[in-house]
Amino acid sequence: MTTVQPNNAGNGSGAVARLLIVGPQGSGKGTQGVRIGEAFGIPVVSTGDIFRANIKEGTPLGQQVTEITQRGDLVPDELTSEIVRDRLTQDDAAAGFLLDGYPRNAVQVRHLDEFLAAKGEKLDAVILLDVARDESMARLRQRAVDQGRADDTEEAIAYRLDIYERETAPIIAVYGERGIVDTIDGTGELDAITARILSALEARGIVPATV
Ligand code: AMP
């Protein structure tokens, strides 16, 4: 499948690290994901960014997902997983990747497991950015004002947080059973949050090759 990819490839200088960052909308996972991706020299694969880029370019995929994303609903699992598999098969993801926004429910966890297991791979760590719902809502309202994102209406924000709590929060338990979840306090200064994430990964022996 050919999809428009946002330009967020890593710099290729890091070690192999297969990571997932998860948290409610407004937790700052997009911002922190980019920082961690840069630190490790691995591409950040954000399904939300891929969908937004395709909507902006008016590709067939973009047209297919415009209404779904505006409602705050999830794009069908098969389609989303196909896009991610396609992206993770590209050369720059061979040395690792950081997933942001995928997997988002139990079916997508299974799809990712199957894809990685077929290559003898697995996720190394799951970074859970912990931010209270009220704080997420406040940040998302501010982002709607600052960035004018079409999917950031008040209703859509609340709806997406509901979906997160219902469908995405439970997958953390699945990864928790595997012992790979690091829960990180997502409040405070951006640099402090990044440092918390890096030290949690370091405690697992996951360190950027260049440090
Ligand atoms: P995000 O920026 O991650 O909040 O994603 C924006 C929108 O893209 C979501 O509200 C969904 O409509 C869609 N989306 C992103 N990632 C996924 C996913 N893993 N599965 C299904 N839909 C997704």
Side-chain angles (χ1 to χ4, degrees), residues 21 26-38 44 49 98 100 129 139 143 147 190-191 193-194 197:
I21 191 162
S27 63
K29 67 186 167 59
T31 304
Q32 294 297 331
V34 168
R35 287 170 164 232
I36 301 304
E38 278 171 4
V44 175
D49 282 354
L98 182 140
D100 168 8
L129 266 193
R139 292 185 190 178
R143 186 174 76 182
Q147 299 179 11
L190 287 184
D191 286 349
I193 300 166
T194 307
I197 296 171

Side-chain angles (χ1 to χ4, degrees), residues 23-26 29 46-52 55 65-77 79-81 84 100-105 108 140 143 149 151-152 156 160 163 168:
Q25 288 78 9
K29 67 186 167 59
S46 158
T47 42
D49 282 354
I50 291 172
F51 291 137
R52 276 185 290 279
I55 290 168
V65 304
T66 298
E67 279 185 27
I68 299 172
T69 57
Q70 274 176 5
R71 281 201 306 270
D73 279 324
L74 294 186
V75 174
D77 294 328
L79 177 60
T80 306
S81 292
V84 172
D100 168 8
Y102 177 95
R104 214 149 165 135
N105 58 26
Q108 294 180 10
L140 288 168
R143 186 174 76 182
R149 264 178 55 164
D151 59 349
D152 270 351
R160 282 186 291 152
I163 292 186
T168 307

Side-chain angles (χ1 to χ4, degrees), residues 8-9 41 71 108 126 129 161 175 203:
N8 59 3
R71 281 201 306 270
Q108 294 180 10
V126 176
L129 266 193
L161 284 173
Y175 288 123

Side-chain angles (χ1 to χ4, degrees), residues 62 79 102 113 131 134 144 153 158 174 190 195 201:
L79 177 60
Y102 177 95
D113 280 347
V131 172
D134 285 354
T153 64
V174 173
L190 287 184
L201 293 175

